[in-house]
Amino acid sequence: MQPASSDRTPATRLLQVKETIRRLENRHQRIPGSVRLLAVSKKKSVEDIVSAASAGQRDFGESYLQEALEKIDALENENLCWHFVGPIQKNKTRQIAAHFDWVHGIERLIVAERLSTQRPSRLPPLQICLQVNIDREHSKSGVQCEQVQDLASALQELPNLELRGLMAIPRQTSDTIHRRRRFAQLREMLEQLNESGFGLDTLSMGMSDDLEAAVAEGATIVRIGTAIFGARTAK
Ligand SMILES: *Cc1c(COP(=O)(O)O)cnc(C)c1O
């Protein structure tokens, strides 16, 4: 995908990313409209989000809780759907349960239990994805492949969460075949869960750099930051 150039607004780039997704759906025999675009706006301004929203974007992803809460508050009247995509510490669950619609990085039962308990009863169930450490990296987040089935079973018992599917962030590599293989493995894992009775419909995979491989292998949510909002400055 082309790097975002600075003379274009998030609204313009968003429309281009959507166009790219439509083209990829077509190229890889996906049903038109079956890939949902999550605009990852972490470290980007409220103005940037407003720009993307003006082009019709509703789903936004954030990784840093404090920053996210300020944006959610400022954009209260925009009717946006907020996805938490960062790692979750136990002491952050109450705020996440109260202010987000989706959480993509569930990897520990204790965190999920807290989110379920703390989900306000006036809100619908929190939509969650189980994060898989698909590359078996020690440093990476996510559960090992062998643990997916057990954790998924436990998550399904939690009353105020709705397990929707799996999420992964494959290791950064220029080896596109490797990346595509990893996405295929995540899809196969989801298929296995569904064969054993789960009714999961979500594969959250693919970022600015590996969008095509993810769409080709069945992503239903792609999480795109840089291609919409431009590069983030180092933390
Ligand atoms: C930052 C982030 C993204 C977006 O990455 P880009 O490369 O900027 O598209 C996607 N998913 C997660 C979990 C992220 O933290």
Side-chain angles (χ1 to χ4, degrees):
M1 174 162 297
Q2 301 217 323
S5 76
S6 54
D7 60 343
R8 289 177 295 145
T9 62
T12 320
R13 294 188 212 124
L14 179 102
L15 294 174
Q16 287 168 340
V17 170
K18 288 184 86 149
E19 183 52 39
T20 302
I21 291 172
R22 296 303 157 248
R23 221 176 43 241
L24 294 175
E25 284 173 342
N26 191 37
R27 183 183 299 163
H28 297 284
Q29 289 85 48
R30 300 288 311 277
I31 295 168
S34 59
V35 180
R36 177 170 172 179
L37 173 59
L38 171 56
V40 179
S41 46
K42 64 182 183 216
K43 307 188 83 187
K44 296 296 172 178
S45 67
V46 167
E47 290 68 35
D48 285 338
I49 296 173
V50 168
S51 173
S54 75
Q57 182 63 21
R58 284 291 162 269
D59 290 290
F60 290 90
E62 292 282 337
S63 302
Y64 308 108
L65 183 59
Q66 210 46 51
E67 176 197 324
L69 292 176
E70 286 166 24
K71 293 177 192 173
I72 292 170
D73 190 45
L75 293 162
E76 202 178 17
N77 298 323
E78 295 274 338
N79 195 24
L80 303 177
C81 182
W82 294 98
H83 301 239
F84 195 81
V85 299
I88 307 174
Q89 287 127 33
K90 261 198 305 189
N91 62 350
K92 303 279 170 69
T93 52
R94 184 174 299 281
Q95 297 269 47
I96 292 174
H99 296 285
F100 282 82
D101 303 291
W102 281 73
V103 174
H104 288 242
I106 298 290
E107 54 177 345
R108 288 193 295 157
L109 186 57
I110 176 83
V111 164
E113 285 169 345
R114 291 173 64 104
L115 288 170
S116 182
T117 305
Q118 294 167 345
R119 182 69 169 171
S121 55
R122 68 189 152 80
L123 296 177
L126 187 61
Q127 308 295 296
I128 61 164
C129 292
L130 192 171
Q131 185 171 356
V132 183
N133 184 347
I134 200 86
D135 282 295
R136 300 179 176 281
E137 289 178 287
H138 289 299
S139 56
K140 262 276 172 62
S141 317
V143 301
Q144 298 301 325
C145 304
E146 299 74 31
Q147 300 166 322
V148 168
Q149 179 104 26
D150 284 351
L151 181 55
S153 301
L155 292 175
Q156 275 211 321
E157 301 301 314
L158 299 174
N160 300 320
L161 305 186
E162 184 174 353
L163 179 62
R164 296 292 298 271
L166 303 178
M167 179 271 210
I169 311 173
R171 179 164 56 81
Q172 286 276 324
T173 164
S174 54
D175 179 350
T176 51
I177 294 175
H178 170 90
R179 285 204 290 210
R180 184 150 169 184
R181 183 73 208 115
R182 290 288 176 264
F183 289 141
Q185 282 175 336
L186 197 71
R187 172 174 46 74
E188 286 156 13
M189 245 177 253
L190 190 88
E191 288 165 359
Q192 271 176 18
L193 288 171
N194 283 339
E195 275 163 27
S196 61
F198 290 83
L200 307 179
D201 63 6
T202 300
L203 278 173
S204 169
M205 59 188 197
M207 318 202 322
S208 296
D209 276 347
D210 50 18
L211 176 59
E212 176 154 17
V215 172
E217 292 299 344
T220 65
I221 299 183
V222 292
R223 308 178 310 266
I224 307 294
T226 310
I228 297 170
F229 297 108
R232 292 175 293 274
T233 43
K235 213 194 162 196

